PDB file of all heavy atoms in Angstrom:
ATOM      1  N   LEU A  42      -0.143 -13.114  18.680  1.00  0.00           N
ATOM      2  CA  LEU A  42      -0.469 -12.561  17.408  1.00  0.00           C
ATOM      3  C   LEU A  42      -1.194 -13.634  16.536  1.00  0.00           C
ATOM      4  O   LEU A  42      -2.173 -13.322  15.889  1.00  0.00           O
ATOM      5  CB  LEU A  42       0.724 -12.116  16.599  1.00  0.00           C
ATOM      6  CG  LEU A  42       1.535 -11.057  17.419  1.00  0.00           C
ATOM      7  CD1 LEU A  42       2.842 -10.683  16.581  1.00  0.00           C
ATOM      8  CD2 LEU A  42       0.822  -9.820  17.730  1.00  0.00           C
ATOM      9  N   LEU A  43      -0.696 -14.849  16.501  1.00  0.00           N
ATOM     10  CA  LEU A  43      -1.222 -16.007  15.738  1.00  0.00           C
ATOM     11  C   LEU A  43      -1.229 -17.230  16.560  1.00  0.00           C
ATOM     12  O   LEU A  43      -0.295 -17.507  17.197  1.00  0.00           O
ATOM     13  CB  LEU A  43      -0.494 -16.175  14.342  1.00  0.00           C
ATOM     14  CG  LEU A  43      -0.327 -15.021  13.388  1.00  0.00           C
ATOM     15  CD1 LEU A  43       0.494 -15.448  12.165  1.00  0.00           C
ATOM     16  CD2 LEU A  43      -1.758 -14.523  12.917  1.00  0.00           C
ATOM     17  N   ASP A  44      -2.249 -18.016  16.371  1.00  0.00           N
ATOM     18  CA  ASP A  44      -2.439 -19.235  17.088  1.00  0.00           C
ATOM     19  C   ASP A  44      -2.727 -20.358  15.976  1.00  0.00           C
ATOM     20  O   ASP A  44      -3.920 -20.368  15.550  1.00  0.00           O
ATOM     21  CB  ASP A  44      -3.402 -19.236  18.212  1.00  0.00           C
ATOM     22  CG  ASP A  44      -3.377 -20.412  19.172  1.00  0.00           C
ATOM     23  OD1 ASP A  44      -2.570 -21.378  18.830  1.00  0.00           O
ATOM     24  OD2 ASP A  44      -4.152 -20.409  20.197  1.00  0.00           O
ATOM     25  N   LEU A  45      -1.778 -21.085  15.648  1.00  0.00           N
ATOM     26  CA  LEU A  45      -2.015 -22.095  14.463  1.00  0.00           C
ATOM     27  C   LEU A  45      -2.339 -23.497  15.073  1.00  0.00           C
ATOM     28  O   LEU A  45      -1.398 -24.226  15.457  1.00  0.00           O
ATOM     29  CB  LEU A  45      -0.729 -22.093  13.590  1.00  0.00           C
ATOM     30  CG  LEU A  45      -0.363 -20.691  13.014  1.00  0.00           C
ATOM     31  CD1 LEU A  45       1.010 -20.502  12.731  1.00  0.00           C
ATOM     32  CD2 LEU A  45      -1.164 -20.393  11.798  1.00  0.00           C
ATOM     33  N   ASN A  46      -3.627 -23.832  14.994  1.00  0.00           N
ATOM     34  CA  ASN A  46      -4.039 -25.105  15.637  1.00  0.00           C
ATOM     35  C   ASN A  46      -4.458 -26.135  14.718  1.00  0.00           C
ATOM     36  O   ASN A  46      -4.446 -27.322  15.118  1.00  0.00           O
ATOM     37  CB  ASN A  46      -5.352 -24.735  16.475  1.00  0.00           C
ATOM     38  CG  ASN A  46      -5.061 -23.925  17.698  1.00  0.00           C
ATOM     39  OD1 ASN A  46      -3.983 -24.045  18.321  1.00  0.00           O
ATOM     40  ND2 ASN A  46      -5.967 -23.027  18.029  1.00  0.00           N
ATOM     41  N   GLU A  47      -4.578 -25.939  13.388  1.00  0.00           N
ATOM     42  CA  GLU A  47      -5.025 -26.875  12.506  1.00  0.00           C
ATOM     43  C   GLU A  47      -4.080 -27.074  11.362  1.00  0.00           C
ATOM     44  O   GLU A  47      -3.487 -26.174  10.763  1.00  0.00           O
ATOM     45  CB  GLU A  47      -6.403 -26.606  11.978  1.00  0.00           C
ATOM     46  CG  GLU A  47      -7.520 -26.406  13.049  1.00  0.00           C
ATOM     47  CD  GLU A  47      -8.828 -26.101  12.396  1.00  0.00           C
ATOM     48  OE1 GLU A  47      -8.965 -25.990  11.249  1.00  0.00           O
ATOM     49  OE2 GLU A  47      -9.800 -25.758  13.256  1.00  0.00           O
ATOM     50  N   ASN A  48      -3.930 -28.389  11.002  1.00  0.00           N
ATOM     51  CA  ASN A  48      -3.046 -28.626   9.791  1.00  0.00           C
ATOM     52  C   ASN A  48      -3.483 -27.970   8.567  1.00  0.00           C
ATOM     53  O   ASN A  48      -4.667 -27.950   8.185  1.00  0.00           O
ATOM     54  CB  ASN A  48      -3.031 -30.223   9.560  1.00  0.00           C
ATOM     55  CG  ASN A  48      -2.063 -30.523   8.426  1.00  0.00           C
ATOM     56  OD1 ASN A  48      -0.946 -30.021   8.345  1.00  0.00           O
ATOM     57  ND2 ASN A  48      -2.472 -31.388   7.571  1.00  0.00           N
ATOM     58  N   GLY A  49      -2.639 -27.301   7.875  1.00  0.00           N
ATOM     59  CA  GLY A  49      -2.923 -26.517   6.641  1.00  0.00           C
ATOM     60  C   GLY A  49      -3.352 -25.176   6.846  1.00  0.00           C
ATOM     61  O   GLY A  49      -3.671 -24.404   5.877  1.00  0.00           O
ATOM     62  N   GLU A  50      -3.568 -24.719   8.208  1.00  0.00           N
ATOM     63  CA  GLU A  50      -4.068 -23.359   8.486  1.00  0.00           C
ATOM     64  C   GLU A  50      -3.019 -22.381   7.959  1.00  0.00           C
ATOM     65  O   GLU A  50      -1.880 -22.510   8.229  1.00  0.00           O
ATOM     66  CB  GLU A  50      -4.307 -23.302   9.963  1.00  0.00           C
ATOM     67  CG  GLU A  50      -4.862 -21.950  10.371  1.00  0.00           C
ATOM     68  CD  GLU A  50      -5.199 -21.870  11.871  1.00  0.00           C
ATOM     69  OE1 GLU A  50      -4.899 -22.876  12.614  1.00  0.00           O
ATOM     70  OE2 GLU A  50      -5.675 -20.829  12.351  1.00  0.00           O
ATOM     71  N   GLU A  51      -3.606 -21.354   7.230  1.00  0.00           N
ATOM     72  CA  GLU A  51      -2.663 -20.360   6.656  1.00  0.00           C
ATOM     73  C   GLU A  51      -3.080 -19.021   7.118  1.00  0.00           C
ATOM     74  O   GLU A  51      -4.236 -18.596   7.019  1.00  0.00           O
ATOM     75  CB  GLU A  51      -2.805 -20.473   5.070  1.00  0.00           C
ATOM     76  CG  GLU A  51      -1.835 -19.537   4.358  1.00  0.00           C
ATOM     77  CD  GLU A  51      -1.917 -19.819   2.814  1.00  0.00           C
ATOM     78  OE1 GLU A  51      -1.818 -20.993   2.416  1.00  0.00           O
ATOM     79  OE2 GLU A  51      -2.131 -18.802   2.146  1.00  0.00           O
ATOM     80  N   ARG A  52      -2.165 -18.240   7.782  1.00  0.00           N
ATOM     81  CA  ARG A  52      -2.429 -17.008   8.359  1.00  0.00           C
ATOM     82  C   ARG A  52      -1.446 -15.960   7.909  1.00  0.00           C
ATOM     83  O   ARG A  52      -0.235 -16.223   7.916  1.00  0.00           O
ATOM     84  CB  ARG A  52      -2.430 -17.128   9.914  1.00  0.00           C
ATOM     85  CG  ARG A  52      -3.369 -18.163  10.495  1.00  0.00           C
ATOM     86  CD  ARG A  52      -4.790 -17.648  10.533  1.00  0.00           C
ATOM     87  NE  ARG A  52      -4.938 -16.379  11.241  1.00  0.00           N
ATOM     88  CZ  ARG A  52      -5.076 -16.277  12.575  1.00  0.00           C
ATOM     89  NH1 ARG A  52      -5.036 -17.382  13.347  1.00  0.00           N
ATOM     90  NH2 ARG A  52      -5.129 -15.158  13.168  1.00  0.00           N
ATOM     91  N   VAL A  53      -1.900 -14.832   7.517  1.00  0.00           N
ATOM     92  CA  VAL A  53      -1.053 -13.689   7.156  1.00  0.00           C
ATOM     93  C   VAL A  53      -0.733 -12.823   8.379  1.00  0.00           C
ATOM     94  O   VAL A  53      -1.658 -12.411   9.090  1.00  0.00           O
ATOM     95  CB  VAL A  53      -1.690 -12.764   6.092  1.00  0.00           C
ATOM     96  CG1 VAL A  53      -0.803 -11.594   5.769  1.00  0.00           C
ATOM     97  CG2 VAL A  53      -2.053 -13.540   4.823  1.00  0.00           C
ATOM     98  N   LEU A  54       0.557 -12.755   8.680  1.00  0.00           N
ATOM     99  CA  LEU A  54       0.879 -11.939   9.850  1.00  0.00           C
ATOM    100  C   LEU A  54       0.800 -10.514   9.517  1.00  0.00           C
ATOM    101  O   LEU A  54       0.172  -9.711  10.205  1.00  0.00           O
ATOM    102  CB  LEU A  54       2.339 -12.264  10.321  1.00  0.00           C
ATOM    103  CG  LEU A  54       2.928 -11.460  11.470  1.00  0.00           C
ATOM    104  CD1 LEU A  54       2.101 -11.718  12.650  1.00  0.00           C
ATOM    105  CD2 LEU A  54       4.386 -11.739  11.765  1.00  0.00           C
ATOM    106  N   PHE A  55       1.380 -10.062   8.384  1.00  0.00           N
ATOM    107  CA  PHE A  55       1.168  -8.700   7.876  1.00  0.00           C
ATOM    108  C   PHE A  55       1.480  -8.626   6.335  1.00  0.00           C
ATOM    109  O   PHE A  55       2.330  -9.471   5.868  1.00  0.00           O
ATOM    110  CB  PHE A  55       1.822  -7.591   8.578  1.00  0.00           C
ATOM    111  CG  PHE A  55       3.315  -7.837   9.025  1.00  0.00           C
ATOM    112  CD1 PHE A  55       4.248  -8.056   8.086  1.00  0.00           C
ATOM    113  CD2 PHE A  55       3.606  -7.845  10.321  1.00  0.00           C
ATOM    114  CE1 PHE A  55       5.569  -8.355   8.449  1.00  0.00           C
ATOM    115  CE2 PHE A  55       4.904  -8.102  10.846  1.00  0.00           C
ATOM    116  CZ  PHE A  55       5.892  -8.290   9.817  1.00  0.00           C
ATOM    117  N   CYS A  56       0.803  -7.806   5.664  1.00  0.00           N
ATOM    118  CA  CYS A  56       1.045  -7.701   4.214  1.00  0.00           C
ATOM    119  C   CYS A  56       2.220  -6.850   3.837  1.00  0.00           C
ATOM    120  O   CYS A  56       2.740  -6.125   4.679  1.00  0.00           O
ATOM    121  CB  CYS A  56      -0.299  -7.024   3.587  1.00  0.00           C
ATOM    122  SG  CYS A  56      -1.826  -8.012   3.762  1.00  0.00           S
ATOM    123  N   GLY A  57       2.692  -7.051   2.586  1.00  0.00           N
ATOM    124  CA  GLY A  57       3.814  -6.295   2.154  1.00  0.00           C
ATOM    125  C   GLY A  57       3.493  -4.851   1.966  1.00  0.00           C
ATOM    126  O   GLY A  57       2.291  -4.396   1.934  1.00  0.00           O
ATOM    127  N   GLY A  58       4.559  -4.083   1.737  1.00  0.00           N
ATOM    128  CA  GLY A  58       4.307  -2.640   1.549  1.00  0.00           C
ATOM    129  C   GLY A  58       3.692  -2.326   0.238  1.00  0.00           C
ATOM    130  O   GLY A  58       3.877  -2.975  -0.744  1.00  0.00           O
ATOM    131  N   LYS A  59       2.805  -1.342   0.216  1.00  0.00           N
ATOM    132  CA  LYS A  59       2.076  -0.969  -0.983  1.00  0.00           C
ATOM    133  C   LYS A  59       2.996  -0.278  -2.015  1.00  0.00           C
ATOM    134  O   LYS A  59       3.878   0.507  -1.574  1.00  0.00           O
ATOM    135  CB  LYS A  59       0.848  -0.158  -0.694  1.00  0.00           C
ATOM    136  CG  LYS A  59       0.010   0.180  -1.816  1.00  0.00           C
ATOM    137  CD  LYS A  59      -1.192   1.029  -1.445  1.00  0.00           C
ATOM    138  CE  LYS A  59      -2.104   1.242  -2.590  1.00  0.00           C
ATOM    139  NZ  LYS A  59      -3.327   2.089  -2.222  1.00  0.00           N
ATOM    140  N   GLY A  60       2.863  -0.623  -3.291  1.00  0.00           N
ATOM    141  CA  GLY A  60       3.672  -0.043  -4.321  1.00  0.00           C
ATOM    142  C   GLY A  60       3.320   1.471  -4.464  1.00  0.00           C
ATOM    143  O   GLY A  60       2.173   1.879  -4.234  1.00  0.00           O
ATOM    144  N   GLY A  61       4.243   2.299  -4.788  1.00  0.00           N
ATOM    145  CA  GLY A  61       4.047   3.672  -4.987  1.00  0.00           C
ATOM    146  C   GLY A  61       3.355   4.042  -6.319  1.00  0.00           C
ATOM    147  O   GLY A  61       3.611   3.285  -7.277  1.00  0.00           O
ATOM    148  N   GLY A  62       2.625   5.084  -6.377  1.00  0.00           N
ATOM    149  CA  GLY A  62       1.998   5.553  -7.636  1.00  0.00           C
ATOM    150  C   GLY A  62       2.896   6.206  -8.578  1.00  0.00           C
ATOM    151  O   GLY A  62       3.819   6.935  -8.111  1.00  0.00           O
ATOM    152  N   GLY A  63       2.686   5.955  -9.833  1.00  0.00           N
ATOM    153  CA  GLY A  63       3.538   6.599 -10.806  1.00  0.00           C
ATOM    154  C   GLY A  63       3.111   8.106 -10.925  1.00  0.00           C
ATOM    155  O   GLY A  63       2.098   8.542 -10.458  1.00  0.00           O
ATOM    156  N   ASN A  64       3.981   8.882 -11.711  1.00  0.00           N
ATOM    157  CA  ASN A  64       3.649  10.381 -11.762  1.00  0.00           C
ATOM    158  C   ASN A  64       2.230  10.699 -12.489  1.00  0.00           C
ATOM    159  O   ASN A  64       1.942  11.872 -12.385  1.00  0.00           O
ATOM    160  CB  ASN A  64       4.746  11.155 -12.365  1.00  0.00           C
ATOM    161  CG  ASN A  64       5.114  10.778 -13.740  1.00  0.00           C
ATOM    162  OD1 ASN A  64       4.656   9.702 -14.273  1.00  0.00           O
ATOM    163  ND2 ASN A  64       5.855  11.583 -14.456  1.00  0.00           N
ATOM    164  N   ILE A  65       1.748   9.705 -13.112  1.00  0.00           N
ATOM    165  CA  ILE A  65       0.432   9.989 -13.736  1.00  0.00           C
ATOM    166  C   ILE A  65      -0.627  10.385 -12.702  1.00  0.00           C
ATOM    167  O   ILE A  65      -1.592  11.039 -12.984  1.00  0.00           O
ATOM    168  CB  ILE A  65      -0.058   8.823 -14.553  1.00  0.00           C
ATOM    169  CG1 ILE A  65      -0.130   7.486 -13.678  1.00  0.00           C
ATOM    170  CG2 ILE A  65       0.802   8.595 -15.774  1.00  0.00           C
ATOM    171  CD1 ILE A  65      -0.780   6.404 -14.481  1.00  0.00           C
ATOM    172  N   HIS A  66      -0.422   9.927 -11.467  1.00  0.00           N
ATOM    173  CA  HIS A  66      -1.365  10.201 -10.358  1.00  0.00           C
ATOM    174  C   HIS A  66      -1.171  11.611  -9.768  1.00  0.00           C
ATOM    175  O   HIS A  66      -1.972  12.079  -8.994  1.00  0.00           O
ATOM    176  CB  HIS A  66      -1.230   9.200  -9.291  1.00  0.00           C
ATOM    177  CG  HIS A  66      -1.478   7.710  -9.703  1.00  0.00           C
ATOM    178  ND1 HIS A  66      -2.693   7.225 -10.067  1.00  0.00           N
ATOM    179  CD2 HIS A  66      -0.650   6.727  -9.916  1.00  0.00           C
ATOM    180  CE1 HIS A  66      -2.604   5.983 -10.374  1.00  0.00           C
ATOM    181  NE2 HIS A  66      -1.421   5.580 -10.326  1.00  0.00           N
ATOM    182  N   PHE A  67      -0.007  12.292 -10.154  1.00  0.00           N
ATOM    183  CA  PHE A  67       0.298  13.597  -9.447  1.00  0.00           C
ATOM    184  C   PHE A  67       0.043  14.732 -10.390  1.00  0.00           C
ATOM    185  O   PHE A  67       0.214  15.866 -10.114  1.00  0.00           O
ATOM    186  CB  PHE A  67       1.732  13.612  -9.063  1.00  0.00           C
ATOM    187  CG  PHE A  67       2.049  12.697  -7.922  1.00  0.00           C
ATOM    188  CD1 PHE A  67       2.317  11.293  -8.324  1.00  0.00           C
ATOM    189  CD2 PHE A  67       2.061  13.046  -6.596  1.00  0.00           C
ATOM    190  CE1 PHE A  67       2.622  10.412  -7.251  1.00  0.00           C
ATOM    191  CE2 PHE A  67       2.346  12.209  -5.636  1.00  0.00           C
ATOM    192  CZ  PHE A  67       2.656  10.812  -5.958  1.00  0.00           C
ATOM    193  N   LYS A  68      -0.549  14.424 -11.586  1.00  0.00           N
ATOM    194  CA  LYS A  68      -0.889  15.425 -12.550  1.00  0.00           C
ATOM    195  C   LYS A  68      -2.157  16.116 -12.177  1.00  0.00           C
ATOM    196  O   LYS A  68      -3.161  15.505 -11.767  1.00  0.00           O
ATOM    197  CB  LYS A  68      -1.059  14.864 -13.999  1.00  0.00           C
ATOM    198  CG  LYS A  68      -1.350  15.855 -15.035  1.00  0.00           C
ATOM    199  CD  LYS A  68      -1.539  15.173 -16.421  1.00  0.00           C
ATOM    200  CE  LYS A  68      -1.912  16.175 -17.435  1.00  0.00           C
ATOM    201  NZ  LYS A  68      -2.032  15.521 -18.775  1.00  0.00           N
ATOM    202  N   ASN A  69      -2.173  17.466 -12.220  1.00  0.00           N
ATOM    203  CA  ASN A  69      -3.468  18.167 -11.955  1.00  0.00           C
ATOM    204  C   ASN A  69      -3.402  19.506 -12.769  1.00  0.00           C
ATOM    205  O   ASN A  69      -2.533  19.695 -13.631  1.00  0.00           O
ATOM    206  CB  ASN A  69      -3.578  18.513 -10.426  1.00  0.00           C
ATOM    207  CG  ASN A  69      -2.406  19.215  -9.900  1.00  0.00           C
ATOM    208  OD1 ASN A  69      -1.814  20.116 -10.566  1.00  0.00           O
ATOM    209  ND2 ASN A  69      -2.119  18.886  -8.687  1.00  0.00           N
ATOM    210  N   ALA A  70      -4.341  20.334 -12.575  1.00  0.00           N
ATOM    211  CA  ALA A  70      -4.468  21.488 -13.413  1.00  0.00           C
ATOM    212  C   ALA A  70      -3.314  22.417 -13.215  1.00  0.00           C
ATOM    213  O   ALA A  70      -2.940  23.168 -14.133  1.00  0.00           O
ATOM    214  CB  ALA A  70      -5.790  22.292 -13.107  1.00  0.00           C
ATOM    215  N   VAL A  71      -2.702  22.454 -12.108  1.00  0.00           N
ATOM    216  CA  VAL A  71      -1.534  23.404 -11.784  1.00  0.00           C
ATOM    217  C   VAL A  71      -0.244  22.644 -12.149  1.00  0.00           C
ATOM    218  O   VAL A  71       0.642  23.217 -12.840  1.00  0.00           O
ATOM    219  CB  VAL A  71      -1.515  23.776 -10.284  1.00  0.00           C
ATOM    220  CG1 VAL A  71      -0.320  24.620  -9.989  1.00  0.00           C
ATOM    221  CG2 VAL A  71      -2.805  24.573  -9.979  1.00  0.00           C
ATOM    222  N   ARG A  72      -0.057  21.375 -11.734  1.00  0.00           N
ATOM    223  CA  ARG A  72       1.167  20.572 -11.997  1.00  0.00           C
ATOM    224  C   ARG A  72       0.936  19.738 -13.197  1.00  0.00           C
ATOM    225  O   ARG A  72       0.430  18.626 -13.133  1.00  0.00           O
ATOM    226  CB  ARG A  72       1.442  19.783 -10.749  1.00  0.00           C
ATOM    227  CG  ARG A  72       2.877  19.138 -10.834  1.00  0.00           C
ATOM    228  CD  ARG A  72       3.085  18.097  -9.720  1.00  0.00           C
ATOM    229  NE  ARG A  72       3.058  18.750  -8.379  1.00  0.00           N
ATOM    230  CZ  ARG A  72       2.188  18.388  -7.449  1.00  0.00           C
ATOM    231  NH1 ARG A  72       1.248  17.474  -7.711  1.00  0.00           N
ATOM    232  NH2 ARG A  72       2.293  18.983  -6.222  1.00  0.00           N
ATOM    233  N   ARG A  73       1.212  20.263 -14.423  1.00  0.00           N
ATOM    234  CA  ARG A  73       1.007  19.508 -15.617  1.00  0.00           C
ATOM    235  C   ARG A  73       2.019  18.437 -15.954  1.00  0.00           C
ATOM    236  O   ARG A  73       1.809  17.477 -16.711  1.00  0.00           O
ATOM    237  CB  ARG A  73       0.885  20.506 -16.788  1.00  0.00           C
ATOM    238  CG  ARG A  73      -0.147  21.569 -16.660  1.00  0.00           C
ATOM    239  CD  ARG A  73      -1.451  20.991 -16.457  1.00  0.00           C
ATOM    240  NE  ARG A  73      -1.918  20.177 -17.676  1.00  0.00           N
ATOM    241  CZ  ARG A  73      -2.785  20.653 -18.596  1.00  0.00           C
ATOM    242  NH1 ARG A  73      -3.363  21.869 -18.430  1.00  0.00           N
ATOM    243  NH2 ARG A  73      -3.041  19.934 -19.622  1.00  0.00           N
TER     244      ARG A  73
END
């Protein structure tokens, strides 16, 4: 997955989970 060969080399294995959207994103013409 990662091969770290150089001093100071910085590699992301995987990113953190994305934050969920607030209810402002779920408002529409039907769901007020």
Side-chain angles (χ1 to χ4, degrees):
L42 305 177
L43 300 178
D44 194 353
L45 299 152
N46 288 327
E47 299 179 7
N48 181 44
E50 185 176 1
E51 186 173 309
R52 302 283 302 279
V53 177
L54 181 62
F55 40 65
C56 296
K59 186 177 181 181
N64 63 342
I65 58 174
H66 300 289
F67 294 83
K68 180 181 177 180
N69 55 37
V71 176
R72 189 191 296 120
R73 303 300 298 256

